[in-house]
Amino acid sequence: MERSTSNYTNQTSPSPNPVTTTTRRESNSIFSASDDNVIMKQVVDTHHPDGTDIGVDPLVNMVEEILRRASINATIDKDSTSALAHADIAKMEAKSRQNNLVLMLNVFSHTIDKLAREMSFKTLSTAVDPHTRVISLLHTVGNYDWDAKMALILAAFALNYGEFRVLAQIYSSNQLAIPLEPKSRFGALNRLIHLVLELTQCIIQFKKLPSRYVSSREPVMDRAICTFPSAGYWKARGIIVIATQITNFTMYGMLSSATESWEAYTLVLKINHLLEFLRKQLEECRRLIEERKEMEVRNSFNQLFDTVHIDNMKILKILLNSRDDPLPLFDGSTNRRVSLEVLRRRNVLLLISGLGISRDELSILEQIYIESRIQGSRIDALYDLVWLPIVDPYDEYTDALDRQFEDLKHSMPWYSVDHPSNIDNAIKKSIGDRWHFRSKPILVVLDPQGRELSPNALHMMWIWGSTAFPFTIAREEALWRDETWRLELLVGGMDPTILMWVSSNFNFQSSYDRY
């Protein structure tokens, strides 16, 4: 965890607080005499974090799995911030993650059990109103940050809820059982549970944001943090309402009265409103983080080439494998994916281009590349070539573009970055900053230590081929000094017939010479 939430204490007037923007009708449907600001003050008064920092992900994932397995016809949003639709504890193969969960349950089992018993006991008592129950639960977890409070209360709720849904499943499949509540009631209950889960996950996501790039003093973070007390309260309030309906069902065979159903419906609206607000703040935070990361990368990119390295791995990893793919390269000679190790301490030529690179240019480059390997194996070759496909991050990467990329990749006998997404957007802009890449292909040359030998050796490759290796300015000047201006130099490999004429001493005569 990278962010401390201890500064959430004593924020009595969230600004803006989405709870206060709800309609008076919604507020009156739950409270007849209480004011939201008074409620939030009571909530903040329960919050006394002692600095205990826990990673709640394993616990929340376990709770989500319990609720997912127990739910009846639960509706899950595909674009949700939570991993609810994907979590599957049975498929968790990482031993360390399982150990973390066991350790967490051992440490917090007492607190979770206390919350569960308190939740069940006060639900049975009609003398304790829901607001008082919520404040009591918040007092029990008063020494934790908001993400941990929400996770622990959620875990306590799951203990009771799992049994309820198993019972509901039995009743719903038994035609001789007592008549159940309408399916719409179960749907509303599932919707409220789903929102409670989503709100919990959303708060956890804020805790994971790196403070290096977005601090709690940022206006967007301040707006989110000021909303946490409201989110924690209404999330707990929703759980109390669900717990009450569970008790009614298990004891009396009915979910709720009309009043309780209306309260549940109002809570769905309120929690959904909070969730949408927090998601917008989270999206804005992530945008700021990406912008600042990008600027950091662009500022440090040039420094990489001013630093002495023992090999080229650090620079190549940044350039070719921003996503930490274990096999980021595609070997065109074998049609297999390979690791960056094949380039360690090798001279590397980086062919940087878009997907619209000319087939004619590729054909000439391929001929030169193949000729450089006629004398020996790839290990004996002077250099390795890697294609970096640059796709505009602002363009939609369609299936047609992907097919175009795959066709190009498989047509090249050298290495290619396996997928354009392996090249980070910040690296694309850094390439443009340093090597002035816009749209025309360039050929950057790096030595075995990752030092830049040439920012663009493509013109040298066209004129002299591999003879120009190592493609430095000094080598280019030497080649020009030794070169004489003759027809072979001008014609190159454009037309073999012309070169045949030259080799047979064909005499060109002007019309003047004929007379």
Side-chain angles (χ1 to χ4, degrees), residues 94-136:
K95 188 175 181 179
S96 60
R97 191 171 179 181
Q98 293 175 348
N99 290 341
N100 288 340
L101 176 59
V102 172
L103 178 62
M104 182 170 289
L105 289 175
N106 289 336
V107 173
F108 298 106
S109 59
H110 174 72
T111 302
I112 294 172
D113 186 58
K114 182 179 179 182
L115 287 167
R117 285 186 284 107
E118 186 175 353
M119 199 179 294
S120 299
F121 174 75
K122 291 189 175 178
T123 299
L124 292 172
S125 174
T126 57
V128 182
D129 65 275
H131 169 70
T132 303
R133 298 174 198 171
V134 171
I135 296 299
S136 176

Side-chain angles (χ1 to χ4, degrees), residues 18 21 36 52 103 141 186 242 252 345 353 488:
T21 65
D36 280 341
T52 302
L103 178 62
V141 290
F186 281 116
I242 298 167
Y252 309 115
R345 295 183 179 175
S353 78
E488 290 93 334

